[in-house]
Amino acid sequence: MCLAMPAKVMELCADDQAVVDLDGVRKQVSLALVEDVALGDYVILHAGYALQKLDVDEAERTLALFREIGSSIA
């Protein structure tokens, strides 16, 4: 099963790289597959690659659902 997660772009780096925040976890990822990404944008992240930009409201709703699921499991 594959799972893509919304992540917020926190820093743009050289060579189509960025640092993203995934609910408190920061990770360097590739932006090679997505155009016109800016600081503060949300991207769908899978296996270290941003696959597409995501609307802020949609990203925040999705992250809230993941948090809700996580709290019901714990």
Side-chain angles (χ1 to χ4, degrees):
M1 179 172 103
C2 296
L3 180 63
M5 299 284 296
K8 187 174 185 177
V9 176
M10 304 303 290
E11 180 181 341
L12 296 172
C13 306
D15 300 323
D16 288 327
Q17 299 285 306
V19 175
V20 297
D21 182 277
L22 181 59
D23 206 25
V25 176
R26 290 193 177 210
K27 177 176 177 64
Q28 188 164 340
V29 301
S30 174
L31 298 177
L33 303 175
V34 184
E35 295 181 3
D36 300 322
V37 176
L39 288 177
D41 284 347
Y42 279 90
V43 294
I44 293 291
L45 180 65
H46 176 69
Y49 286 88
L51 301 178
Q52 71 181 45
K53 288 178 25 175
L54 184 63
D55 174 80
V56 173
D57 292 332
E58 182 68 22
E60 291 174 353
R61 282 194 305 269
T62 302
L63 289 170
L65 288 171
F66 278 118
R67 285 185 205 105
E68 185 179 325
I69 291 168
S71 69
S72 69
I73 293 172

